Amino acid sequence: MKSLSLLLASLILSIVTLSLYTPVAAVLSTKSRWIIDESGKRVKLACVNWPSHLQPIVAEGLHKQPVDVISKSIVSRGFNCVRLTYATFMLTNESLASLTVKSSFESLNLTDALQGIGVHNPSLLDLTLIQAYQAVVSNLGENEVMVILDNHLTVPGWCCGYSDGNGFFGDKYFDPDVWIQGLQKMATSFHSVSNVVGMSLRNELRGPRQNVTNWYRYMQKGAEAIHTANPNVLVILSGLSFDNDLSFLSSRQVQLSFTRKLVFEVHWYSFSDSKPWSTLNTNQACTKTSGGFMGHAGFLLAKEWPLFMSEFGVDNRGVNDNDNRYLGCILAKLAELDLDWALWALQGSYYLREGIVDHGETFGVLSADWNSSQNTTVLQRIQALQKPFQGPGYANSPLHQKIFHPATALCVTQKSTHLLQLGPCDQSTAWRYTEEGNIKLRIGFSCIKVERASEPVQLGIDCSREKWEPVSVSKMHLASMNTSEGNRLCLDVDRDGKTIVANPCNCLSDNHNCDPTSQWFKLVNSTNNFH
C-alpha cells in the first residue's frame, strides 16, 4: 500500500508541476562576474530567505497569512527573488515524502498552526509536502518573484551545528548518494518552472569532516547532476566553514562540462567573525572583517566569477551592538562591489524551532504576525541596494562615482545650485574623483568645497586647493585639510539628517565606543545614472 500511495503522490506531483503558473520568463546565465537574462542585461538578485526546511517541512508563516499575501508583501518591499530552503528528506525519505501538510503538523502536535493554515491556506492541507512547496513556488511566480531552491540540510530542523550530522559529506545524515538523488529530483521537478532561476547545492558546509578534496569531488558531481536534469537553472556552490571560506578557489577552479551557469555563494554576519566587532574600533573592525571577506570570497569577482551573498542580516530589535556596528560596514561593501544578495530573513516567526512553538525571529523582515515590517529603518537601508549600480545593460552613463552614505544607504546629491543633500542613489548626482583629489561633478568643473566646520559644503569652481582623501583605516572618512581654520574636516550629515556638512573628523582613534558612521562615505563606481 505504501508503494501505491507513493506512486499516486508522484503522479499528482507531476500534474501539479505541469500546471504551475509561472509567468516570469527568466532563464539566467552568467557573463564575467554578472548574472544576465536572455537579452544580455544584468539581473541583480535582491532576495530574501524564506525557510521551508524546519520540522514541519512547510514554508513558514502559512498559518498567519495566505500565501498570496506573503508573496505580495515580498514584492511590496522591493525584493525580486526568494531563496526558498528545503531539506533533502522531503524528497528522498519515503515516510516524509508521503506526508500531507495536515499529517505533518498533526505528527508534531502543532494544533494551533494547523488551524491557522486551515483558515488562511486551506487548499494546502491535503497536499504532500513537496506539492505544498511547489504551490508556494507557483504563487511566487504568479507575483513575478524569482526563486532559488536552497538545499539547506538533510534532516528537517534548525540549522546549523558544527557536529549535527548534516554538515559535510559522509556525516551521519549526509550520504552523498542520497544528496545527489535529492538534487536530481528537485531539478527535475522544477524543470519547466520559469521563475525557478537557480539551485544552491548545500547550505553552510561545516564540521570536523570538511576538507577541500571532497569539496571538489562532490560539489562538481552535484553541479553536473543538477545541470543534466535542468540546464536552465544557475548552479550555486557554497564554501566551507559555514559558507565563509572559498579561498581554495584562488588556486584551483572547479571543472565542469558546462559554462555560464556557475555562481558561488558566501555568508557574512557579525558573528561570522565576532571578535573584531566586540574588541576593536568600528573603523578597525570593518577593515579587518572586510579584508577577511575579500580574502575568503570577494577575490572571485576579480577572477570574473559571479558571487552571491546568500545570507547576511541583523537583529532588528537594535539591541545587538555588534550587529549595529556591522550593518553600515556590510552595506558599504555590498554597494562598493554591487553584489547580488539574499537577506536573512523573511519570517517573523516559526511554527516550531528548537522545540519552541511559535518561536520569534529577531532577524525577520516581517513582524511576528507576518503583517508588518519589524524594523522599517533597517529595511529602508537594505532596499537602497536592490537596484544595480552597474553591469551589462546599465551603461547609460560613462563610468562615474556615487558618494554612498552607509548609515542611511543614501547618496550625495546636488539639490540646489550649490548645496548638497542625501537622496536616493538611483537619482543621485554623478561624481568623479580626480588624480588631484578633487571630488567634481562628472560633467563640468565644479567641485566640493568646504571652508569652516559645521557649515554646509558647497560646489565651487576654484578647485586648486580642494584635496579630499580618506583618512581612517576604513577608508570611509573623506577629509579636507584646505579650510580657513586649518584643521582637518570630514564630510558629515547635519542634524536634519540630509544636509551635507563638514565637521572635525571623529572616531579615528582606538575608542571602541565611538560611532563613526555619520562620517562614513564610500565612493562607489557606477554607470547607471538617471539624474
Side-chain angles (χ1 to χ4, degrees):
M1 290 296 292
K2 178 176 286 188
S3 60
L4 179 58
S5 64
L6 285 174
L7 179 61
L8 289 172
S10 177
L11 178 60
I12 295 171
L13 174 59
S14 298
I15 294 171
V16 170
T17 301
L18 291 173
S19 64
L20 287 176
Y21 170 67
T22 51
V24 181
V27 176
L28 304 183
S29 60
T30 66
K31 180 180 181 181
S32 180
R33 59 150 291 187
W34 309 108
I35 295 170
I36 60 173
D37 63 17
E38 291 171 300
S39 72
K41 184 177 182 179
R42 183 190 177 186
V43 175
K44 181 171 183 176
L45 301 178
C47 314
V48 65
N49 283 271
W50 189 357
S52 187
H53 66 273
L54 280 82
Q55 285 174 280
I57 326 180
V58 174
E60 301 292 339
L62 300 182
H63 62 321
K64 302 279 189 177
Q65 298 287 347
V67 62
D68 191 60
V69 170
I70 297 175
S71 293
K72 284 180 168 56
S73 75
I74 293 169
V75 174
S76 70
R77 288 166 174 82
F79 299 103
N80 63 11
C81 84
V82 161
R83 181 175 180 251
L84 190 64
T85 68
Y86 71 93
T88 300
F89 275 4
M90 177 179 72
L91 300 143
T92 61
N93 181 283
E94 287 193 4
S95 297
L96 294 180
S98 62
L99 279 180
T100 63
V101 170
K102 181 180 179 181
S103 58
S104 176
F105 279 79
E106 287 177 340
S107 70
L108 296 167
N109 295 317
L110 296 174
T111 305
D112 290 343
L114 182 59
Q115 290 176 346
I117 294 175
V119 171
H120 296 294
N121 295 282
S123 63
L124 300 182
L125 289 174
D126 294 325
L127 297 182
T128 62
L129 298 173
I130 181 61
Q131 289 168 359
Y133 187 97
Q134 287 187 311
V136 170
V137 172
S138 179
N139 188 265
L140 288 167
E142 291 173 19
N143 285 281
E144 300 189 351
V145 177
M146 296 178 287
V147 174
I148 293 170
L149 311 176
D150 170 64
N151 179 227
H152 218 66
L153 72 181
T154 303
V155 179
W158 180 244
C159 181
C160 299
Y162 187 74
S163 303
D164 61 6
N166 278 279
F168 199 73
F169 308 104
D171 280 0
K172 181 178 180 180
Y173 303 116
F174 200 166
D175 182 326
D177 292 333
V178 174
W179 172 69
I180 292 288
Q181 181 187 10
L183 293 178
Q184 289 171 329
K185 287 186 175 183
M186 206 66 166
T188 301
S189 296
F190 290 93
H191 182 277
S192 301
V193 183
S194 61
N195 70 311
V196 173
V197 299
M199 286 187 61
S200 176
L201 271 69
R202 188 71 171 199
N203 180 70
E204 296 196 353
L205 294 167
R206 61 197 180 275
R209 290 180 181 269
Q210 64 179 334
N211 64 86
V212 171
T213 299
N214 281 340
W215 185 93
Y216 280 100
R217 177 185 178 187
Y218 291 116
M219 294 298 266
Q220 289 174 166
K221 188 175 181 180
E224 294 286 1
I226 288 174
H227 186 73
T228 299
N230 187 350
N232 292 325
V233 295
L234 297 170
V235 179
I236 305 172
L237 275 60
S238 61
L240 299 174
S241 300
F242 295 85
D243 203 7
N244 287 296
D245 186 12
L246 289 158
S247 60
F248 47 88
L249 291 167
S250 63
S251 59
R252 178 186 172 190
Q253 187 51 265
V254 296
Q255 300 298 316
L256 300 173
S257 65
F258 58 91
T259 59
R260 301 191 63 186
K261 287 289 183 178
L262 181 62
V263 177
F264 294 102
E265 66 176 307
V266 65
H267 295 174
W268 183 10
Y269 292 97
S270 70
F271 54 77
S272 300
D273 185 8
S274 60
K275 187 175 180 180
W277 294 112
S278 59
T279 61
L280 299 178
N281 168 277
T282 301
N283 283 298
Q284 296 169 329
C286 183
T287 301
K288 183 174 178 59
T289 57
S290 295
F293 165 74
M294 292 304 295
H296 286 103
F299 71 92
L300 290 170
L301 299 174
K303 290 180 173 288
E304 300 188 340
W305 288 99
L307 182 63
F308 172 45
M309 188 175 288
S310 57
E311 284 189 29
F312 77 101
V314 295
D315 186 331
N316 281 301
R317 296 172 300 176
V319 299
N320 186 308
D321 184 54
N322 286 357
D323 277 359
N324 296 339
R325 301 168 75 216
Y326 141 95
L327 182 57
C329 181
I330 192 170
L331 293 181
K333 187 58 67 174
L334 287 172
E336 177 190 5
L337 301 177
D338 203 6
L339 283 176
D340 300 276
W341 50 263
L343 177 69
W344 187 273
L346 176 67
Q347 68 280 4
S349 63
Y350 299 86
Y351 306 118
L352 178 68
R353 172 179 155 181
E354 299 172 291
I356 300 175
V357 175
D358 207 29
H359 191 299
E361 175 54 90
T362 61
F363 278 51
V365 168
L366 298 178
S367 56
D369 62 3
W370 290 66
N371 190 46
S372 60
S373 297
Q374 190 167 173
N375 188 320
T376 56
T377 301
V378 170
L379 179 60
Q380 287 168 358
R381 292 171 70 184
I382 290 165
Q383 285 173 324
L385 298 177
Q386 291 171 336
K387 297 178 181 179
F389 287 101
Q390 56 181 315
Y394 288 93
N396 61 318
S397 175
L399 181 65
H400 59 274
Q401 283 79 45
K402 305 282 190 179
I403 307 177
F404 179 74
H405 186 244
T408 58
L410 299 172
C411 289
V412 177
T413 301
Q414 181 185 3
K415 284 295 185 182
S416 65
T417 305
H418 299 293
L419 298 182
L420 304 177
Q421 291 184 348
L422 292 175
C425 290
D426 63 342
Q427 302 171 24
S428 67
T429 304
W431 302 94
R432 55 192 171 100
Y433 185 66
T434 70
E435 293 181 359
E436 297 77 23
N438 299 149
I439 303 176
K440 291 186 174 183
L441 295 176
R442 184 183 67 81
I443 299 175
F445 300 99
S446 296
C447 64
I448 296 178
K449 296 171 63 71
V450 59
E451 291 294 335
R452 285 175 288 275
S454 302
E455 290 188 357
V457 299
Q458 299 186 28
L459 288 178
I461 58 173
D462 181 9
C463 305
S464 59
R465 297 176 60 250
E466 295 301 323
K467 183 175 182 179
W468 294 85
E469 57 184 25
V471 294
S472 62
V473 293
S474 68
K475 304 298 183 184
M476 285 193 281
H477 283 76
L478 291 175
S480 172
M481 284 293 292
N482 302 313
T483 67
S484 60
E485 298 173 352
N487 59 337
R488 187 165 57 181
L489 299 179
C490 281
L491 289 184
D492 205 340
V493 180
D494 205 3
R495 295 178 181 178
D496 63 4
K498 61 180 181 179
T499 302
I500 306 300
V501 297
N503 284 321
C505 302
N506 63 20
C507 303
L508 303 183
S509 68
D510 293 338
N511 183 354
H512 171 75
N513 297 316
C514 189
D515 180 6
T517 55
S518 72
Q519 293 189 349
W520 273 5
F521 291 85
K522 172 67 72 171
L523 292 169
V524 175
N525 286 336
S526 178
T527 58
N528 188 14
N529 185 48
F530 300 102
H531 186 71

